[in-house]
Structure formats: C-alpha cells, structure tokens
Coordinates of all heavy atoms in Angstrom, one line a residue:
A1 N -24.5 10.6 24.8 CA -23.7 9.5 25.0 C -24.3 8.2 24.4 O -23.6 7.4 23.8 CB -23.4 9.2 26.4
A2 N -25.6 8.1 24.5 CA -26.3 6.9 23.9 C -26.2 7.0 22.4 O -26.0 5.9 21.7 CB -27.7 6.9 24.4
L3 N -26.5 8.2 21.8 CA -26.4 8.3 20.4 C -25.0 7.9 19.7 O -24.8 7.2 18.8 CB -26.6 9.8 19.9 CG -28.1 10.1 19.9 CD1 -28.3 11.7 19.6 CD2 -29.0 9.4 18.9
K4 N -23.9 8.3 20.6 CA -22.6 7.9 20.1 C -22.4 6.5 20.2 O -21.7 5.9 19.3 CB -21.6 8.7 21.1 CG -21.4 10.2 20.8 CD -20.4 10.8 21.7 CE -20.2 12.3 21.4 NZ -19.0 12.9 22.2
A5 N -22.9 5.9 21.2 CA -22.7 4.4 21.4 C -23.5 3.7 20.4 O -23.1 2.7 19.8 CB -23.2 3.9 22.8
A6 N -24.7 4.2 20.0 CA -25.5 3.5 19.0 C -24.8 3.7 17.7 O -24.9 2.7 16.8 CB -26.9 4.1 19.0
A7 N -24.2 4.8 17.4 CA -23.6 5.0 16.0 C -22.4 4.1 15.9 O -22.1 3.5 14.8 CB -23.1 6.5 15.9
E8 N -21.7 3.9 17.0 CA -20.5 3.1 17.0 C -20.9 1.6 16.7 O -20.4 0.9 16.0 CB -19.7 3.2 18.3 CG -18.5 2.3 18.3 CD -17.7 2.4 19.6 OE1 -18.1 3.2 20.4 OE2 -16.6 1.7 19.8
K9 N -22.0 1.2 17.4 CA -22.4 -0.2 17.3 C -22.9 -0.4 15.8 O -22.9 -1.5 15.3 CB -23.6 -0.5 18.2 CG -23.0 -0.7 19.7 CD -24.1 -1.1 20.7 CE -24.5 -2.5 20.4 NZ -25.4 -3.1 21.4
A10 N -23.6 0.6 15.2 CA -24.0 0.5 13.9 C -22.9 0.5 12.8 O -23.3 0.4 11.6 CB -25.1 1.6 13.6
G11 N -21.7 0.8 13.2 CA -20.7 0.7 12.2 C -20.2 2.1 11.7 O -19.4 2.2 10.7
V12 N -20.7 3.1 12.3 CA -20.2 4.5 12.0 C -18.7 4.7 12.2 O -18.2 4.4 13.3 CB -21.0 5.7 12.6 CG1 -20.5 7.0 12.3 CG2 -22.5 5.5 12.3
Q13 N -17.9 5.2 11.2 CA -16.5 5.5 11.4 C -16.5 6.9 12.0 O -16.8 7.8 11.3 CB -15.8 5.3 10.2 CG -14.3 5.6 10.3 CD -13.5 5.6 8.9 OE1 -14.1 5.8 7.9 NE2 -12.2 5.3 9.0
H14 N -15.8 7.0 13.1 CA -15.7 8.3 13.7 C -14.2 8.8 13.6 O -13.3 8.1 14.0 CB -16.1 8.3 15.2 CG -16.0 9.6 15.9 ND1 -14.8 10.2 16.4 CD2 -16.9 10.5 16.2 CE1 -15.1 11.5 16.9 NE2 -16.3 11.6 16.8
L15 N -14.1 9.9 12.9 CA -12.7 10.5 12.8 C -12.7 11.8 13.6 O -13.6 12.7 13.4 CB -12.5 10.8 11.3 CG -12.4 9.6 10.3 CD1 -12.2 10.0 9.0 CD2 -11.5 8.5 10.8
T16 N -11.6 12.1 14.4 CA -11.4 13.3 15.0 C -10.6 14.2 14.1 O -9.5 13.9 13.6 CB -10.6 13.1 16.2 OG1 -11.3 12.1 17.1 CG2 -10.4 14.4 17.0
G17 N -11.1 15.4 13.8 CA -10.4 16.3 12.9 C -11.3 17.6 12.8 O -12.5 17.7 13.3
T18 N -10.7 18.5 12.1 CA -11.4 19.7 11.8 C -11.5 19.9 10.2 O -10.6 19.8 9.5 CB -10.5 21.0 12.2 OG1 -10.4 20.8 13.6 CG2 -11.2 22.3 11.9
V19 N -12.8 19.9 9.8 CA -13.2 20.1 8.4 C -12.9 21.6 8.0 O -13.4 22.5 8.6 CB -14.6 19.7 8.1 CG1 -14.9 20.0 6.6 CG2 -14.8 18.1 8.4
T20 N -12.2 21.8 7.0 CA -11.8 23.2 6.5 C -12.7 23.6 5.3 O -12.8 24.8 5.0 CB -10.3 23.3 6.2 OG1 -9.9 22.4 5.2 CG2 -9.5 23.1 7.5
E21 N -13.1 22.6 4.5 CA -13.8 23.0 3.3 C -14.6 21.8 2.9 O -14.4 20.7 3.1 CB -12.8 23.2 2.1 CG -13.5 23.7 0.9 CD -12.5 24.2 -0.3 OE1 -11.3 24.0 0.0 OE2 -13.0 24.5 -1.3
V22 N -15.9 22.1 2.4 CA -16.9 21.1 1.9 C -17.2 21.4 0.4 O -17.1 22.5 0.0 CB -18.0 21.0 2.7 CG1 -17.7 20.6 4.2 CG2 -18.8 22.3 2.7
A23 N -17.6 20.4 -0.3 CA -18.0 20.4 -1.6 C -18.9 19.3 -1.9 O -18.9 18.3 -1.1 CB -16.8 20.5 -2.6
P24 N -19.8 19.4 -2.9 CA -20.6 18.1 -3.2 C -19.8 16.9 -3.3 O -18.9 16.8 -4.2 CB -21.4 18.6 -4.5 CG -21.4 20.1 -4.4 CD -20.1 20.5 -3.8
G25 N -20.1 16.0 -2.4 CA -19.4 14.7 -2.6 C -17.9 14.7 -2.1 O -17.2 13.7 -2.3
R26 N -17.5 15.8 -1.4 CA -16.1 15.8 -1.0 C -15.9 16.8 0.2 O -16.5 17.8 0.4 CB -15.2 16.3 -2.1 CG -13.8 16.5 -1.8 CD -13.0 16.9 -3.1 NE -13.6 18.0 -3.8 CZ -13.3 19.3 -3.4 NH1 -12.6 19.5 -2.4 NH2 -13.9 20.2 -4.1
I27 N -15.0 16.4 1.1 CA -14.6 17.3 2.2 C -13.1 17.4 2.3 O -12.3 16.4 1.9 CB -15.2 16.9 3.5 CG1 -14.6 15.6 4.0 CG2 -16.7 16.8 3.4 CD1 -13.5 15.7 5.0
T28 N -12.6 18.5 2.8 CA -11.2 18.6 3.1 C -11.0 18.8 4.6 O -11.8 19.7 5.2 CB -10.5 19.8 2.3 OG1 -10.7 19.5 0.8 CG2 -8.9 19.9 2.7
A29 N -10.1 18.0 5.3 CA -10.1 18.1 6.7 C -8.6 17.9 7.2 O -7.9 17.3 6.5 CB -11.0 17.1 7.4
R30 N -8.3 18.5 8.4 CA -7.1 18.0 9.1 C -7.5 17.0 10.1 O -8.3 17.3 11.0 CB -6.6 19.4 9.8 CG -6.1 20.4 8.9 CD -5.4 21.6 9.6 NE -6.2 22.3 10.5 CZ -6.9 23.3 10.2 NH1 -6.9 23.7 8.8 NH2 -7.7 23.9 11.0
L31 N -7.0 15.8 10.0 CA -7.4 14.7 10.7 C -6.3 14.4 11.8 O -5.2 14.1 11.4 CB -7.6 13.5 9.9 CG -8.8 13.6 8.9 CD1 -8.9 12.4 8.0 CD2 -10.1 14.0 9.6
G32 N -6.7 14.3 13.0 CA -5.9 13.8 14.1 C -4.5 14.5 14.2 O -4.4 15.7 14.1
Q33 N -3.5 13.7 14.2 CA -2.1 14.2 14.2 C -1.4 14.2 12.8 O -0.3 14.5 12.7 CB -1.3 13.4 15.2 CG -1.8 13.3 16.5 CD -1.9 14.7 17.2 OE1 -0.9 15.5 17.1 NE2 -2.9 15.0 17.9
A34 N -2.2 13.8 11.9 CA -1.7 13.7 10.5 C -1.2 15.1 10.0 O -2.0 16.1 10.2 CB -2.7 13.0 9.6
P35 N -0.1 15.2 9.3 CA 0.3 16.4 8.7 C -0.6 16.9 7.6 O -1.1 16.0 6.8 CB 1.7 16.2 8.3 CG 1.8 14.7 8.1 CD 0.8 14.1 9.0
G36 N -0.7 18.1 7.3 CA -1.5 18.6 6.2 C -2.9 18.3 6.2 O -3.5 18.1 7.3

C-alpha cells in the first residue's frame, strides 16, 4: 500500500488493464472498459 501511494505521489500513471503482448519499446493491452 505504501509503495502504491509513493508511486502515485511521484507521478506514476497507473492504468488498469491486461497486457497481451510485449515487444521492445511497445506493449499491447486491453485497458479498462475500452473496446479492442
């Protein structure tokens, strides 16, 4: 919980979603309620 709070205070952008594929410098994910 403290790590999450510290990350938020430091400006980390937290996205809820499922990553389906990674590549150097790129990820593909299903984010939140967004389609596709």
Side-chain angles (χ1 to χ4, degrees):
L3 283 172
K4 288 182 174 181
E8 182 179 358
K9 289 187 68 172
V12 173
Q13 180 185 25
H14 182 278
L15 300 178
T16 300
T18 300
V19 176
T20 57
E21 185 176 359
V22 297
R26 176 175 54 81
I27 66 98
T28 303
R30 294 188 296 270
L31 298 179
Q33 303 300 316

